[in-house]
Amino acid sequence: GETTWRVPSLAVPDPQQLPPMERLPQYGAVELFVERAAAVLPSFALTPQNAPAVAQVCQRLDGMPLALELAAAWMDVLSVKELAARLDDRFHLLTRGDPTALPRHQTLRATMDWSYGLLSDPEQVLLRRLAVFAGGFTVEAAEAVCAGGDVTEPQVLELLGRLVGKSLVERPGEGERYWLLETVRQYGGEKLQEAGEEASVRRRHRDWYLALAERAEPELWGGEQRVWLERLETEHDNLRAALTWSQVEGSEAGLRLAGALSWFWDRRGYRNEGRAWLEGVLAGCGTASAVARAKGLFGAGVLAETYERAIELLAESLALYRELGDKPGAAWSLLVMGLSVLNQDDYARATSLLQEGLTLNRELGDRRGMALSLSLLGMVALWRGDYGQMVGQLEESMKLLRELGDQGGIAISDVKLSLARAALWQGDYERATMLFQETLALCREVGDESGAADSLQGLGVVALQQGDYQQAAALCEESLALQQKWASDHRGVPFSLLYLGMVARSQGDYQRALALLEESLALYQKRGEKWGMANALNNLALTARCQGNYGRALALGEQSLALSQEIGAQQNIAAALTTLGLVACSQGDDQRATSSLKESLVLCQRLGLKLTIVECLEGLAQVAGGQGQPARAARLCGAAEARREALGAPLPPADRADYERQVAHLRSELDEATCAAAWATGRAMSLEQAVAYATADTAHIAESS
């Protein structure tokens, strides 16, 4: 009639996400440590200053009561922070037990020695071998890694059950994973070294997780990618341990392992960590085979800090793959190198590399490679403003992916992001919102936080253009927080800063706008991204115009135009021309204003950039009003107003005062009926009619018309 009741360790807080101070004593481990520390040092109390270190001590000691009591005994000698720093050597540190207690309760090592001594020989073998696992393990992994010699694979499960029963191995409820408390793991590691088994067991551990990573790699682009991303996330500590041992041995397995994990690190926001691993294994494995080196170079290229470095690494990887006759490897290197060149705004070279990769994938019959190549070619067309070609390439890419069963994966979300951005730039906010929301849901479903950040950013820009500045700021801040959490060099960081600067400028907060835009520009300059630099410069020019600093606005706008023309980014060219036209309006340079705005209008009409068309119409209306053509100005204002209403893109607050002064001037120049009629005529124009009217030679347009 008796029941065994397992007593768990005391609850511990997460040092990385500490709860409010008043809630910390609710954790049993914190309560016990503070109580015992105060008994040793009466002045000791939990404070905001020492709370993080207390939480760290509790976590690193697994909430084990004996370990916490032994640690608290040092509080008359060490600060909590010093204590936490010394816990790597806990078996030497935690020796200050109660002299009246049983010998095995006086030190942590004595307790572990006593428990270990009660085990049978096979149980001792398994426990010390299990110490190579980090972050838990499955039965399957334990059987593969720990069997050998006196312990056969069929025995592992039975022995594991005995260790669970003796509270030396943890298993939560019905979960599939087991783990060792950190104290037990460190003790087992010492015993593994003493037994002379460490190298052989760690090698088996490394090989098991290498096989897992290489099996997972192709699945990260398949229909089961969410399952595999989650599995790699769960095993991340074991993968780190395997990489560490590979570096100790200097084996080429580390190159293969790190290379296989590159896409996981990229998508889960571990770019900095992954880059460090790859640089380490590349530097420490000079005698690796060409196959392993090509793999490592490719992975390093995926995670490189700059595009120049990425291209350098990928070119070396491509050369090795070609020497080896490895066409799939060469195709992937071409694909990622094409993306890096695209991000450098070299559209012609990017197209050449991606087309070469597409040809190779068609030859191989690799539909996934074909789909990804087409997706990136669609991105090139998007940046160049060739929306017709873009749509064709993206639709073919999506068709191939769906044939492969990838209904909601990372590749599909990338395609939808490009389609959403095109809809946004062309003023189709309803479609853009739908696509960004679909992409956000897909990315969250598969655990692709990088894509989720891009989707949030896109939704923020839609909100910005629709005049919902609070929502725009919230979405862009959420995107920025995600990006900065993973890596300071995340490609989306300068984008988010740029859009937050645009929000601030639209609301009239020019100082904040300047700070954000200058930070964005600095990051783009560091990365050598001319497309982004041109955007940041253009928005800095608009901000300077709002501040009345027309000379600076003109200089910045000209820099933006020159960069945009250099890389052939048509949308950026249109934006820069519009800005230069508006600055010229403010300066009273009607000739330059008219020339720039009309040139932009023609380009915008070809690209379908509806909001920029509206801005040009408003600028030309201002020119007409200043040239004594109030009726023409009223018609252009009416046309712009109707277009803004159709788009759902209200005039930003920062521009309203100038606009209202302009309209007031028109009304003072015309009688009420004439002004209303001209305004109504403009409102009745189609977009094409409005552009044609605005770009017509004003010398031949009579005021009566």
Side-chain angles (χ1 to χ4, degrees):
E2 295 182 356
T3 301
T4 300
W5 179 264
R6 295 182 59 79
V7 181
S9 296
L10 299 176
V12 300
D14 181 355
Q16 304 302 318
Q17 295 180 327
L18 276 183
M21 271 290 298
E22 61 272 13
R23 287 180 51 200
L24 277 176
Q26 296 176 11
Y27 291 88
V30 173
E31 181 184 11
L32 177 62
F33 180 83
V34 171
E35 179 184 310
R36 295 296 190 265
V40 175
L41 184 68
S43 62
F44 182 84
L46 188 65
T47 68
Q49 290 70 38
N50 66 23
V54 169
Q56 187 180 1
V57 168
C58 292
Q59 184 197 51
R60 297 199 63 197
L61 294 177
D62 305 304
M64 294 172 62
L66 174 61
L68 291 166
E69 293 199 19
L70 293 172
W74 283 94
M75 292 312 300
D76 59 342
V77 177
L78 301 171
S79 70
V80 189
K81 188 174 181 181
E82 290 171 329
L83 176 64
R86 291 171 178 263
L87 286 179
D88 283 338
D89 194 17
R90 67 189 65 187
F91 292 112
H92 288 96
L93 177 68
L94 304 184
T95 59
R96 283 188 155 198
D98 179 355
T100 66
L102 292 172
R104 67 175 181 269
H105 289 170
Q106 291 179 18
T107 71
L108 191 60
R109 177 174 293 281
T111 302
M112 289 305 306
D113 285 341
W114 176 74
S115 296
Y116 189 74
L118 293 175
L119 299 177
S120 66
D121 287 346
E123 289 170 346
Q124 289 181 354
V125 170
L126 181 60
L127 182 65
R128 65 181 180 243
R129 290 178 181 176
L130 289 173
V132 299
F133 290 102
F137 54 90
T138 62
V139 172
E140 184 183 15
E143 289 172 336
V145 173
C146 298
D150 295 336
V151 175
T152 64
E153 187 171 315
Q155 284 181 295
V156 169
L157 180 58
E158 178 189 351
L159 292 170
L160 188 61
R162 291 188 205 167
L163 292 175
V164 170
K166 293 172 182 178
S167 299
L168 289 167
V169 173
E170 302 289 313
R171 183 190 180 209
E174 298 299 316
E176 295 181 359
R177 291 186 72 76
Y178 297 77
W179 74 83
L180 303 181
L181 295 178
E182 185 60 22
T183 296
V184 178
R185 195 171 83 87
Q186 284 194 22
Y187 182 86
E190 289 186 9
K191 291 298 181 182
L192 190 66
Q193 285 182 317
E194 291 173 11
E197 293 184 317
E198 183 177 27
S200 60
V201 178
R202 288 199 179 278
R203 196 172 297 121
R204 290 200 297 270
H205 176 272
R206 190 269 322 282
D207 291 344
W208 170 262
Y209 285 101
L210 171 60
L212 174 68
E214 290 185 333
R215 181 182 168 198
E217 185 183 12
E219 300 294 340
L220 298 182
W221 292 97
E224 295 296 313
Q225 59 194 224
R226 180 185 183 183
V227 173
W228 284 97
L229 282 168
E230 289 299 330
R231 186 167 180 185
L232 292 178
E233 188 74 60
T234 300
E235 299 290 3
H236 203 177
D237 284 338
N238 278 309
L239 294 163
R240 291 173 175 128
L243 283 164
T244 299
W245 182 251
S246 295
Q247 287 186 308
V248 170
E249 279 199 325
S251 68
E252 71 172 40
L255 277 174
R256 291 169 55 196
L257 177 55
L261 291 172
S262 58
W263 289 118
F264 163 70
W265 282 325
D266 177 63
R267 285 295 175 169
R268 282 301 177 100
Y270 298 108
R271 289 180 60 84
N272 286 345
E273 180 183 350
R275 186 184 310 124
W277 282 118
L278 280 156
E279 288 173 354
V281 293
L282 279 167
C285 206
T287 59
S289 67
V291 173
R293 187 160 181 80
K295 185 68 176 178
L297 288 165
F298 173 81
V302 169
L303 300 172
E305 187 171 8
T306 65
Y307 298 125
E308 289 83 359
R309 180 63 175 154
I311 292 164
E312 178 186 341
L313 291 162
L314 291 163
E316 195 175 344
S317 171
L318 177 62
L320 283 173
Y321 279 129
R322 282 174 168 162
E323 286 177 18
L324 293 164
D326 185 340
K327 291 184 178 180
W332 274 96
S333 293
L334 286 164
L335 187 151
V336 182
M337 186 158 42
L339 176 59
S340 298
V341 171
L342 168 60
N343 285 324
Q344 283 192 313
D345 307 299
D346 187 343
Y347 302 140
R349 187 182 175 204
T351 300
S352 174
L353 289 165
L354 293 170
Q355 285 287 5
E356 186 180 353
L358 177 60
T359 301
L360 201 50
N361 280 313
R362 289 192 193 280
E363 179 186 328
L364 293 166
D366 182 353
R367 289 188 293 172
R368 190 168 303 284
M370 290 162 55
L372 294 173
S373 298
L374 286 163
S375 174
L376 290 176
L377 284 165
M379 285 177 62
V380 177
L382 171 66
W383 299 130
R384 296 181 78 162
D386 190 345
Y387 299 126
Q389 183 179 19
M390 177 208 74
V391 170
Q393 289 167 329
L394 293 181
E395 286 180 348
E396 185 181 353
S397 174
M398 193 172 290
K399 179 175 179 291
L400 286 166
L401 290 168
R402 285 179 170 154
E403 286 174 0
L404 290 164
D406 190 356
Q407 297 294 328
I410 289 170
I412 284 281
S413 67
D414 285 346
V415 172
K416 288 197 170 189
L417 272 173
S418 293
L419 290 169
R421 288 178 180 129
L424 168 64
W425 293 348
Q426 293 185 306
D428 190 346
Y429 300 134
E430 183 177 351
R431 175 170 169 74
T433 299
M434 177 192 71
L435 288 167
F436 280 129
Q437 287 177 341
E438 286 179 2
T439 306
L440 179 61
L442 288 176
C443 291
R444 283 177 168 163
E445 183 180 343
V446 301
D448 175 15
E449 292 189 329
S450 181
D454 288 341
S455 304
L456 288 165
Q457 199 178 74
L459 289 168
V461 182
V462 173
L464 166 64
Q465 296 192 359
Q466 291 186 313
D468 190 345
Y469 304 114
Q470 184 175 355
Q471 176 74 348
L475 288 164
C476 290
E477 290 280 9
E478 186 178 354
S479 175
L480 180 62
L482 274 176
Q483 293 151 354
Q484 290 178 326
K485 180 185 77 172
W486 308 321
S488 60
D489 70 324
H490 190 278
R491 57 185 167 73
V493 169
F495 265 118
S496 291
L497 292 168
L498 174 73
Y499 295 138
L500 285 167
M502 292 167 66
V503 172
R505 186 191 72 243
S506 297
Q507 293 179 299
D509 188 348
Y510 303 132
Q511 291 305 313
R512 175 169 166 76
L514 285 173
L516 289 163
L517 293 170
E518 285 170 356
E519 187 179 354
S520 173
L521 176 61
L523 287 172
Y524 279 129
Q525 288 171 330
K526 179 182 177 182
R527 296 166 67 88
E529 292 187 46
K530 294 178 181 177
W531 191 94
M533 289 162 59
N535 257 311
L537 287 165
N538 188 60
N539 279 282
L540 281 166
L542 287 169
T543 307
R545 172 179 175 262
C546 290
Q547 293 179 302
N549 192 345
Y550 302 130
R552 174 171 165 76
L554 190 63
L556 290 165
E558 286 174 342
Q559 288 180 56
S560 176
L561 179 60
L563 272 175
S564 302
Q565 290 172 332
E566 179 186 335
I567 63 176
Q570 300 299 300
Q571 181 195 339
N572 281 10
I573 292 172
L577 286 168
T578 302
T579 296
L580 289 169
L582 294 174
V583 173
C585 281
S586 299
Q587 290 180 306
D589 186 347
D590 292 345
Q591 183 176 355
R592 179 166 188 179
T594 301
S595 172
S596 295
L597 292 170
K598 285 186 175 181
E599 186 179 352
S600 179
L601 263 179
V602 172
L603 185 54
C604 288
Q605 186 174 34
R606 179 169 67 79
L607 298 174
L609 306 178
K610 295 176 184 175
L611 183 57
T612 312
I613 287 175
V614 171
E615 292 166 348
C616 290
L617 293 175
E618 290 165 347
L620 288 168
Q622 185 177 343
V623 172
Q627 290 181 327
Q629 298 176 320
R632 175 174 171 76
R635 282 190 283 273
L636 289 170
C637 281
E641 180 184 74
R643 292 301 100 207
R644 279 198 179 276
E645 290 174 3
L647 286 172
L651 194 71
D655 298 329
R656 285 176 192 161
D658 284 345
Y659 180 76
E660 287 167 2
R661 280 194 296 271
Q662 177 188 347
V663 172
H665 175 70
L666 292 180
R667 297 190 189 283
S668 69
E669 293 287 311
L670 296 169
D671 62 74
E672 187 176 342
T674 303
C675 184
W679 201 284
T681 299
R683 284 186 61 85
M685 291 179 182
S686 66
L687 184 64
E688 293 74 17
Q689 289 170 332
V691 172
Y693 180 73
T695 53
D697 186 353
T698 56
H700 301 291
I701 298 176
E703 274 297 300
S704 59
S705 67

